[in-house]
Amino acid sequence: MEKFREARYFCRIRMRRILPLIAAVIVVATAFVAWTFSHLEGFHDAAWSLAPLALTLGFLPTTLRSRIRRGRWLRAANVASGIALGFLTFFIMAALASWAAIGASRALGRPVGAPATAAVLFGAAALVGLYALASAYWVRVTKVTVRLPHLPEHWNGRMIALVTDVHLGNFRGAAFSRRVVSKLNNIGAECVLIGGDLFDGVKIDVPAALKPWADLKAPAGVYFVGGNHDDYGGRTLYFGALLRLGIRVLDNERVVLGGLQLVGIHDRESNEPATYKDALRRAAINPNMASILLVHRPSLLGIAAEGGVSLQLSGHTHMGQFWPWTHIARRVHGKFAYGLNRFGRMLVYTSSGAGTWGPPFRLGSRSEVVQLRLEAA
């Protein structure tokens, strides 16, 4: 427990150092976009640019405030600023493209009208942003076939369902939960696995947000492991609410379902190599039996592979959510940023998640629940 308090202390120190840098980047980016648009369109009153700056810069304080209190206006401000921050990314591209187009046209001796160029490119950016916003709330079912050695006959050809990163909070609540639960029930899975970040970590009415999950149906049960955001709001509150719904919280342990080993390790315990190794050792995975490890992040894969895991199921990456951040996710996590991949003899599936964090946008990734059909290798 002392180790965890120490980790949270250093995390807070690190956040205090990085938040001013993030705020500075947001200010510069917003100012650049506002100046570009006003300059090219001929607006000389800069006062109007204060509104977008207040919106984009407001995301950080409203998110932090939402972790300690809740209210209608605070939620509305957080949602509005998150959406504005998403549009900022596309408007940065529009601003850069505007200057590039004007510069290129002048270099070619065919200058184009600056106002028209800015209007077209910023308009296109707004349309792309609207599509990305709508796409984030369109939950798809991704179908994957996984072939595992030593798979028991009972599981051969059966389905399991995976959902990660729902992020119930200011942006998503009971209505979104109902859509996700409906998708999961339509899969007809033998069991349902929830791979962390079910909650966003902000103050919400937890029973109300979770109520639709009581309708989740799976003959072999519903199982959950915590993600990093689930720790922000407190395990006691979240985990207790899940247990009251009949959802099994895999508390760094192994259960055997019809000869298939299911292991769940919470995000906090899987972040530090020594703690992670110890948790897997205590889970006592039998390498001669098929096993599924449910853990939030697709990291420290070598430890899981050495522990005898057949298939690891993770989330966390969101696949970057929307372009160009999708490229950043690939740079950070490599091929394990999304989809089914192999690490040695272990298979790894990383989901892009059902929900989003921060700007509720999807472009180049998808909001998904996953249907995994198990077959004997």
Side-chain angles (χ1 to χ4, degrees):
M1 182 60 70
E2 187 60 36
K3 183 185 291 185
F4 295 144
R5 288 199 192 99
E6 198 174 295
R8 286 198 296 270
Y9 170 76
F10 285 113
C11 182
R12 285 196 297 268
I13 294 294
R14 186 170 59 181
M15 288 302 292
R16 286 173 188 167
R17 291 174 179 171
I18 200 171
L19 283 178
L21 176 61
I22 295 173
V25 170
I26 291 173
V27 169
V28 171
T30 306
F32 169 67
V33 168
W35 176 79
T36 295
F37 188 76
S38 62
H39 181 78
L40 297 181
E41 292 293 343
F43 297 150
H44 300 296
D45 184 2
W48 68 272
S49 64
L50 295 177
L53 180 60
L55 274 173
T56 54
L57 198 57
F59 179 72
L60 295 175
T62 56
T63 298
L64 295 174
R65 188 64 176 166
S66 292
R67 290 187 182 176
I68 58 177
R69 61 164 298 181
R70 64 187 173 102
R72 183 180 301 173
W73 291 108
L74 180 60
R75 179 175 180 269
N78 188 234
V79 170
S81 60
I83 292 172
L85 202 58
F87 274 106
L88 176 62
T89 296
F90 298 113
F91 287 149
I92 289 171
M93 301 302 163
L96 292 171
S98 295
W99 288 116
I102 292 168
S105 68
R106 288 176 180 172
L108 294 171
R110 294 186 175 183
V112 295
T117 300
V120 168
L121 291 173
F122 275 84
L127 290 175
V128 171
L130 288 172
Y131 169 80
L133 180 62
S135 180
Y137 289 87
W138 176 22
V139 181
R140 292 84 149 180
V141 176
T142 300
K143 299 181 179 181
V144 181
T145 297
V146 180
R147 294 176 176 83
L148 300 179
H150 311 300
L151 185 71
E153 181 60 32
H154 170 79
W155 285 95
N156 193 23
R158 292 184 185 263
M159 249 72 80
I160 63 174
L162 170 69
V163 59
T164 73
D165 303 283
V166 179
H167 285 275
L168 296 175
N170 287 337
F171 289 85
R172 289 171 172 79
F176 188 73
S177 286
R178 278 191 291 274
R179 299 216 309 274
V180 171
V181 168
S182 176
K183 293 282 186 182
L184 291 169
N185 282 337
N186 288 339
I187 290 174
E190 187 75 3
C191 72
V192 175
L193 307 179
I194 306 172
D197 282 5
L198 179 58
F199 303 94
D200 203 35
V202 300
K203 289 286 185 181
I204 59 169
D205 184 344
V206 174
L210 278 183
K211 187 176 180 181
W213 294 83
D215 298 328
L216 199 53
K217 298 175 178 64
V222 181
Y223 301 86
F224 167 87
V225 296
N228 54 308
H229 282 259
D230 300 312
D231 276 334
Y232 298 158
R235 289 185 176 184
T236 301
L237 173 65
Y238 293 154
F239 291 10
L242 289 168
L243 290 169
R244 285 190 289 275
L245 288 180
I247 294 175
R248 172 75 178 270
V249 176
L250 289 172
D251 199 12
N252 307 316
E253 60 184 325
R254 179 191 69 144
V255 296
V256 180
L257 307 173
L260 175 65
Q261 301 175 101
L262 176 61
V263 182
I265 309 292
H266 297 310
D267 183 70
R268 184 195 293 169
E269 287 80 357
S270 66
N271 261 330
E272 202 278 322
T275 305
Y276 193 19
K277 284 181 181 179
D278 184 58
L280 286 174
R281 179 186 57 78
R282 285 186 282 107
I285 299 171
N286 184 345
N288 296 316
M289 296 171 60
S291 58
I292 296 175
L293 171 64
L294 187 62
V295 64
H296 184 58
R297 305 186 198 214
S299 56
L300 299 178
L301 298 176
I303 293 175
E306 289 173 8
V309 172
S310 308
L311 169 65
Q312 174 174 316
L313 300 177
S314 298
H316 183 69
T317 70
H318 295 216
M319 188 45 211
Q321 289 189 189
F322 61 102
W323 185 89
W325 308 110
T326 49
H327 293 293
I328 304 297
R330 287 288 188 191
R331 295 283 294 180
V332 172
H333 299 282
K335 66 179 182 179
F336 299 104
Y338 178 72
L340 184 65
N341 294 282
R342 183 173 291 278
F343 184 92
R345 288 192 284 182
M346 180 178 72
L347 291 172
V348 180
Y349 186 86
T350 306
S351 172
S352 54
T356 54
W357 181 84
F361 286 64
R362 289 277 188 185
L363 185 66
S365 72
R366 56 192 284 161
S367 295
E368 67 174 13
V369 298
V370 186
Q371 171 189 300
L372 293 127
R373 176 186 171 88
L374 302 183
E375 293 184 357

